[in-house]
Amino acid sequence: MKITVNIWRQKDADAKGSMVTYPLESVDEHMSFLEMLDVLNEKLTIDGEDPVAFDSDCREGICGTCGVVINGIPHGPEVTTTCQLHMRTFKDGDTIDIEPWRAGAFPVVKDLVVDRGSFDRIIQAGGYISAPTGAAVEANNIPVPKADADHAFEAATCIGCGACVAACPNGSAMLFTASKITHLGLLPQGQPERDSRVLGMVEQHDAEGFGGCTNIGECTAACPKGIPLDVISRLNRDLLGALSRQAVGS
Amino acid sequence: MTTTTPAPGEFHVVGDDIRDAAAPTGPIERRWDDRKFNAKLVNPANRRKIKVIVVGTGLAGASAAATLGEAGYQVVSFCYQDSPRRAHSIAAQGGINAAKNYRNDGDSIYRLFYDTVKGGDFRSRESNVYRLAQVSVNIIDQCVAQGVPFAREYGGLLDNRSFGGVQVSRTFYARGQTGQQLLIGAYQALERQIGAGTVEMNTRHEMLEVILVPDADGVERARGIVVRDMVTGEIETHTADAVVLATGGYGNVFFLSTNAMGSNTTATWRAHKKGAYFANPCYTQIHPTCIPVSGEYQSKLTLMSESLRNDGRIWVPKKEGDDRPASQIPEDERDYYLERIYPSFGNLVPRDIASRAAKYQCDDGKGVGPGGLGVYLDFADAIERLGRPAVEAKYGNLFDMYARITGEDPYSEPMRIYPAVHYVMGGLWVDYDLQTNITGLFCAGEANFSDHGANRLGASALMQGLADGYFVLPNTLADYLAASPFEKIADDHPRVVEARQEVEARITKLLEIDGTRTVDSIHKELGHIMWEYCGMERTAEGLTKAVGLIRELKNEFWTNVKVTGVNEELNQTLERAGRVADFLELGELMCIDALNRAESCGGHFRAESQTEDGEAMRHDDQFAYVSAWEYDTDGDGQTPILHKEPLEYEYVEMKARSYK
Ligand SMILES: Cc1cc2nc3c(=O)[nH]c(=O)nc-3n(C[C@H](O)[C@H](O)[C@H](O)COP(=O)(O)OP(=O)(O)OC[C@H]3O[C@@H](n4cnc5c(N)ncnc54)[C@H](O)[C@@H]3O)c2cc1C
Ligand code: SF4
Ligand code: FES
């Protein structure tokens, strides 16, 4: 297939960026989207031009490293990660716009690469269960109803890619934050720190400059792991509870 | 004594034997307790003054850094990704073993130990493997306490499944995403320590050198590392009392593998060039169930979990060159070759055996799909027996992944699979304490060679990574650190300056070559050489040829590679160039190691050493040793020095593996 790509090029965090057009002559339908960019980069390198910088690592849809906005949609037209999107989704002659995640809390580092360090700082603020090595009890002493375990697992499949933020008109990271609140909050081990977790994480979320959630739902539509919107309701319930307990000083 | 000229037909010389001086003797069940009891302790008040560098945030590195941080040490952690949560451990699918015996099916620490020694084809150390089996039970407890959502039964207790190569159910799992869930658990523990200020995290930093400094007695100690900030290009030096490398495996030496794009050998290879022995580099695991290559542009290969072999049946057409679609090949014209050759284990034979069997079928012209490089993995029987919903519940995510990558529907036509490089058993030589032969340099996880011998059993790498990081290192490292804090090393110490300059000079050189070949094109060529001559089947002739080819390619690289851009920016071409430069040297050593080991064992199959019916044949009389390679600094690595660590088996009797 012949494909034309318009790619956001930006030399570094401070530079002004712009879209640059590159024609590609022979794109195979079985190529992954990132392999298409690899092929472009090989060509640019041979021509002595600076290849396009983009992030990827596992290329299996699990590490959350990759992610670009494709024709205006984070990770492109299918519900999957950028690395798992294949060129058979496109047609001969298509033009594809490729841009980085756009969000105040994800500054562009170069071209399609952004800084998502804010996600790690949200986790630092409470996204864990304090269980120092060596202190654990025998695993089967903590039975967990299968339904809760499965539900916790589903929330825990978030890969931290940031597509939810890129999709949200408010640039909110509530889906990401709430998936962790849900994962840990559904498990008996997660109960003792439930209040401090939600208070800490939400405070950090706001401090990082992520916007507020107004229940638009674009996040969940873009999420490659299908994290459902109801995790945010759970976060809101936990937050209200924690705030009221904090207010009465219990 | 070491001579300096290799024997005819060889590329190496033989040095003195080595021993693992750290392993206790006595009854095997007591060795780890004895080692812990005899290890020196570090006063909690002193720990704050002691600094430890941990490179890598996979299961091994994240668990070590978090645990050391909790203990009160100052930890400085590094990874090349933008977040520690993205280390390659995240991609592990199938599960993690532990000798819990929750199924009451006869499992025990001893059986896990036995299976692992046997599965490793008698090329691992009994003491290490026993310890691994012992701490396996603590790992599950630890992970559950952290909130890892393992699969559960309706009663709320943990579920288990069985995994290739063994006959008990001891594998704990979280759907097809066990590595992800375990890593997130370790990552969260790590982030908690970062928040608490005990761990300083440096993401997007690549380690490019170790810094050795002699102490007052002239002992060379690992005292720091040189890293490149991958965003600004700044070359930084970091010093500490000890250095831990947990930088993962080097399967990407083959270009195509199931490893992540950035997986590399740079950290371990740099340590090797500074004197650390590299053990058993040729032991590579080739996984039987991966999605076949689809074209020249292919950048990586995708694993389909081994658990698929529990219900899928592997077959090829009986007739050579049969290009009918699978559905039109009648039952009696299909060869379910694993079931035929290995009636007792059938489709569940260990990985090395399943991989080689697939290769032979394709060599005989019976392969299916593009280029004839594939065999069928068929679920038609399972769907008929269990119903589609049951198959979907068990394997749905894997089937979806297959459909997404290939554009084919595995519910209606069989999957096509082919072996791919997946894991390396080789790595830096370490003693029982996980210390390399360089004092103060420790190595954990896939980066070391320690526990799997010549072949790793499924679900055992996650176990080893977490054993090393949560339970082994925190004890053995304390023993080393009891004498610290060591004398402070200034930033302008000649050894620090020298290490930094070496790194800068190498980068400058890479950028100056300005040739015509891209880094990837050279990496792919190296991959082809390795796959052809140092892959599933190896011969003396092929390996000798490969050494020559790699040497030529290395020369081509250093005279004709093209690296665009400058150092002072995010420069992914420069990053890859540095990694490929190290892969070229490692690839050469792998071939030399494979050439020396004129026997077949585990993942290392020498065509010259097989039984009449084509099974691997070990030569215990000549090769029951670990090959620990010393870099030959004077000769620029041309003539590596082989040190042998003899292996002794007191508990498990050395036998030929049989899965028939
Ligand atoms: C697809 C796949 C599936 C698997 N499934 C299973 C399974 O089901 N069960 C099982 O037991 N095993 C499995 N394995 C094997 C297992 O996942 C790995 O062996 C194990 O996770 C390795 O962990 P690690 O901590 O040693 O290294 P990794 O997780 O690879 O981490 C390496 C770390 O080192 C860092 N690093 C590397 N080089 C540098 C450098 N130069 N400078 C700075 N940082 C650096 C990286 O950033 C990363 O943080 C699987 C492997 C693959 C590829
Ligand atoms: S919630 Fe979904 S979109 Fe957001 S970071 Fe997690 S996986 Fe990515
Ligand atoms: S590269 Fe890992 S999810 Fe895409």
Side-chain angles (χ1 to χ4, degrees):
Chain A
M1 315 188 265
K2 279 199 173 80
I3 297 278
T4 306
V5 286
N6 295 319
I7 301 183
W8 182 260
R9 302 302 309 259
Q10 178 174 340
K11 211 173 153 10
D12 54 42
D14 304 323
K16 224 173 125 262
S18 63
M19 297 295 274
V20 179
T21 303
Y22 304 96
L24 279 165
E25 291 300 321
S26 50
V27 173
D28 190 299
E29 58 164 351
H30 293 301
M31 276 180 187
S32 71
F33 194 81
L34 297 182
E35 284 167 348
M36 180 271 291
L37 290 181
D38 289 341
V39 170
L40 170 65
N41 277 345
E42 283 290 279
K43 186 172 167 300
L44 291 177
T45 308
I46 289 164
D47 297 346
E49 284 181 56
D50 198 19
V52 180
F54 64 90
D55 264 332
S56 77
D57 207 25
C58 75
R59 296 204 177 182
E60 289 189 8
I62 192 76
C63 73
T65 309
C66 69
V68 294
V69 177
I70 300 165
N71 289 337
I73 307 170
H75 290 307
E78 292 191 12
V79 182
T80 188
T81 55
T82 303
C83 61
Q84 288 292 291
L85 183 66
H86 283 74
M87 294 311 291
R88 63 181 82 91
T89 307
F90 301 92
K91 302 188 306 292
D92 188 36
D94 275 0
T95 298
I96 309 173
D97 290 343
I98 309 174
E99 294 170 85
W101 289 166
R102 305 261 184 218
F106 288 165
V108 173
V109 177
K110 179 178 179 179
D111 297 340
L112 304 172
V113 177
V114 299
D115 177 356
R116 289 169 291 199
S118 44
F119 270 13
D120 291 333
R121 291 188 290 274
I122 292 178
I123 299 295
Q124 277 160 37
Y128 48 73
I129 289 170
S130 299
T133 306
V137 298
E138 153 59 41
N140 262 351
N141 281 353
I142 318 175
V144 181
K146 184 166 162 48
D148 288 350
D150 287 350
H151 200 155
F153 168 82
E154 271 150 30
T157 57
C158 162
I159 58 174
C161 63
C164 46
V165 178
C168 177
N170 306 332
S172 174
M174 264 310 146
L175 196 67
F176 166 79
T177 310
S179 69
K180 189 50 54 193
I181 297 286
T182 304
H183 161 207
L184 300 177
L186 277 167
L187 298 171
Q189 308 91 297
Q191 299 313 310
E193 292 165 304
R194 196 158 155 186
D195 284 0
S196 58
R197 178 177 308 122
V198 72
L199 292 169
M201 290 178 77
V202 169
E203 185 181 286
Q204 191 63 33
H205 171 275
D206 296 349
E208 293 289 347
F210 290 108
C213 171
T214 51
N215 275 317
I216 303 168
E218 294 285 347
C219 50
T220 225
C223 175
K225 299 294 142 178
I227 303 290
L229 210 52
D230 65 12
V231 296
I232 299 184
S233 321
R234 175 174 268 277
L235 176 144
N236 287 333
R237 276 200 308 278
D238 275 16
L239 184 62
L240 273 177
L243 285 171
S244 62
R245 276 186 290 277
Q246 197 179 40
V248 296
S250 70
Chain B
M1 255 337 296
T2 309
T3 54
T4 50
T5 19
E10 285 177 355
F11 296 94
H12 71 274
V13 293
V14 179
D16 299 335
D17 280 6
I18 51 166
R19 301 245 158 215
D20 171 11
T25 49
I28 200 158
E29 323 71 64
R30 290 204 40 105
R31 289 181 192 168
W32 178 227
D33 283 343
D34 286 348
R35 179 70 195 104
K36 281 191 288 187
F37 181 72
N38 291 319
K40 294 191 231 31
L41 301 174
V42 183
N43 178 336
N46 272 347
R47 295 182 193 158
R48 264 180 294 124
K49 298 176 212 144
I50 299 173
K51 198 183 246 187
V52 182
I53 286 173
V54 181
V55 189
T57 60
L59 288 179
S63 58
T67 306
L68 294 167
E70 287 162 5
Y73 297 99
Q74 285 179 54
V75 181
V76 191
S77 168
F78 299 86
C79 70
Y80 70 74
Q81 293 92 346
D82 71 327
S83 164
R85 68 180 291 151
R86 309 203 199 282
H88 186 53
S89 295
I90 200 98
Q93 300 172 352
I96 178 167
N97 288 333
K100 284 282 198 190
N101 194 28
Y102 284 162
R103 284 302 176 89
N104 196 22
D105 57 1
D107 200 12
S108 62
I109 289 171
Y110 201 88
R111 187 176 296 280
L112 175 53
F113 156 72
Y114 176 89
D115 286 346
T116 309
V117 169
K118 176 182 170 210
D121 217 358
F122 302 93
R123 290 294 175 264
S124 52
R125 292 183 189 141
E126 282 189 335
S127 299
N128 284 59
V129 177
Y130 197 88
R131 172 178 65 191
L132 179 65
Q134 274 177 310
V135 303
S136 69
V137 296
N138 306 109
I139 294 172
I140 302 304
D141 299 343
Q142 179 60 29
C143 295
V144 167
Q146 289 169 340
V148 170
F150 283 122
R152 288 180 183 267
E153 295 174 331
Y154 285 99
L157 302 180
L158 293 162
D159 192 16
N160 289 120
R161 63 178 167 206
S162 67
F163 230 63
V166 295
Q167 289 164 315
V168 291
S169 270
R170 62 159 76 100
T171 304
F172 294 77
Y173 66 102
R175 212 158 303 167
Q177 282 148 261
T178 316
Q180 178 193 35
Q181 295 309 319
L182 294 174
L183 184 63
I184 299 249
Y187 156 78
Q188 287 170 187
L190 175 65
E191 289 297 338
R192 175 169 163 256
Q193 292 309 306
I194 297 170
T198 60
V199 179
E200 174 197 312
M201 184 70 227
N202 298 276
T203 58
R204 290 201 201 268
H205 276 71
E206 183 157 27
M207 171 187 153
L208 299 175
E209 199 56 88
V210 272
I211 301 173
L212 303 188
V213 179
D215 65 14
D217 301 324
V219 177
E220 293 278 344
R221 287 178 193 261
R223 294 301 308 273
I225 59 172
V226 183
V227 297
R228 178 172 176 274
D229 177 330
M230 295 157 75
V231 175
T232 63
E234 194 187 332
I235 306 299
E236 304 168 3
T237 55
H238 294 259
T239 56
D241 294 291
V243 176
V244 178
L245 301 184
T247 50
Y250 52 82
N252 276 350
V253 65
F254 289 85
F255 186 75
L256 286 182
S257 81
T258 63
N259 288 6
M261 301 303 288
S263 296
N264 68 87
T265 187
T266 292
T268 47
W269 191 255
R270 293 286 131 202
H272 174 60
K273 291 185 86 167
K274 279 273 154 79
Y277 294 171
F278 214 110
N280 301 332
C282 81
Y283 288 167
T284 316
Q285 180 164 81
I286 299 190
H287 198 292
T289 52
C290 302
I291 300 179
V293 174
S294 69
E296 222 355 78
Y297 50 79
Q298 188 106 18
S299 59
K300 75 152 289 167
L301 294 171
T302 303
L303 175 81
M304 299 300 325
S305 170
E306 179 150 50
S307 60
L308 291 169
R309 287 201 276 145
N310 284 333
D311 288 303
R313 299 181 66 196
I314 295 176
W315 63 275
V316 291
K318 281 190 178 156
K319 207 167 70 212
E320 225 175 283
D322 188 341
D323 56 7
R324 286 174 293 175
S327 57
Q328 284 168 33
I329 302 180
E331 199 55 32
D332 62 351
E333 292 180 40
R334 301 175 174 193
D335 181 11
Y336 296 88
Y337 57 90
L338 287 178
E339 298 170 23
R340 173 172 56 81
I341 308 173
Y342 304 98
S344 72
F345 277 71
N347 292 297
L348 291 177
V349 290
R351 294 174 175 178
D352 52 327
I353 293 178
S355 291
R356 224 166 29 247
K359 175 187 182 328
Y360 293 150
Q361 297 300 327
C362 297
D363 287 352
D364 288 350
K366 295 179 184 159
V368 298
L373 292 177
V375 298
Y376 288 126
L377 176 62
D378 199 334
F379 287 86
D381 284 357
I383 293 172
E384 205 181 289
R385 180 164 44 92
L386 308 165
R388 178 169 166 153
V391 171
E392 246 176 60
K394 249 175 153 166
Y395 306 114
N397 61 334
L398 296 168
F399 277 45
D400 291 349
M401 185 154 94
Y402 181 86
R404 176 164 299 289
I405 292 173
T406 60
E408 294 166 14
D409 173 21
Y411 291 103
S412 57
E413 47 189 319
M415 288 184 180
R416 286 174 298 108
I417 53 161
Y418 198 63
V421 173
H422 174 59
Y423 180 87
V424 290
M425 282 70 70
L428 288 187
W429 184 88
V430 288
D431 63 14
Y432 187 72
D433 285 355
L434 305 184
Q435 184 165 216
T436 68
N437 59 305
I438 295 179
T439 307
L441 183 69
F442 292 75
C443 187
E446 190 173 340
N448 73 26
F449 89 107
S450 69
D451 297 350
H452 307 293
N455 176 53
R456 174 176 71 77
L457 290 181
S460 290
L462 302 182
M463 170 171 72
Q464 183 223 331
L466 291 179
D468 287 0
Y470 282 132
F471 298 106
V472 180
L473 266 181
N475 288 290
T476 59
L477 198 59
D479 182 65
Y480 176 74
L481 292 170
S484 67
F486 302 114
E487 190 190 344
K488 206 173 152 28
I489 310 286
D491 287 346
D492 61 354
H493 187 288
R495 286 295 191 84
V496 176
V497 174
E498 193 187 314
R500 172 207 291 274
Q501 284 169 347
E502 279 171 35
V503 167
E504 286 167 348
R506 199 160 54 238
I507 291 174
T508 309
K509 192 162 165 199
L510 285 171
L511 288 162
E512 275 173 4
I513 299 167
D514 197 26
T516 60
R517 293 275 309 263
T518 64
V519 174
D520 276 11
S521 80
I522 293 179
H523 193 177
K524 276 186 196 176
E525 191 174 330
L526 172 66
H528 285 306
I529 298 172
M530 295 301 293
W531 183 246
E532 182 67 26
Y533 302 110
C534 199
M536 278 184 277
E537 187 173 287
R538 302 153 175 191
T539 63
E541 193 191 354
L543 290 163
T544 307
K545 183 167 171 196
V547 172
L549 291 172
I550 295 171
R551 287 182 175 170
E552 278 166 36
L553 188 61
K554 202 160 68 176
N555 186 46
E556 167 81 355
F557 178 89
W558 284 105
T559 53
N560 195 25
V561 76
K562 187 175 186 80
V563 182
T564 49
V566 296
N567 174 57
E568 290 72 26
E569 62 174 342
L570 189 148
N571 186 338
Q572 294 173 326
T573 313
L574 178 63
E575 292 161 20
R576 283 205 298 275
R579 294 173 194 155
V580 172
D582 293 332
F583 279 138
L584 284 160
E585 297 181 7
L586 168 69
E588 186 182 331
L589 184 66
M590 288 170 71
C591 294
I592 294 173
D593 183 38
L595 187 58
N596 170 65
R597 192 168 284 277
E599 66 161 350
S600 298
C601 57
H604 169 67
F605 189 81
R606 279 285 298 266
E608 301 93 338
S609 183
Q610 51 182 307
T611 61
E612 259 167 33
D613 46 2
E615 297 301 330
M617 197 158 72
R618 292 197 321 263
H619 295 293
D620 295 335
D621 50 334
Q622 300 171 58
F623 292 103
Y625 63 79
V626 174
S627 302
W629 294 93
E630 179 184 348
Y631 187 75
D632 129 60
T633 316
D634 301 333
D636 224 13
Q638 293 278 310
T639 314
I641 303 146
L642 172 63
H643 299 277
K644 299 175 184 173
E645 182 200 324
L647 289 168
E648 282 136 32
Y649 292 88
E650 295 172 58
Y651 290 86
V652 187
E653 187 198 345
M654 290 176 103
K655 288 196 282 226
R657 283 192 311 169
S658 168
Y659 292 93
K660 288 212 165 159

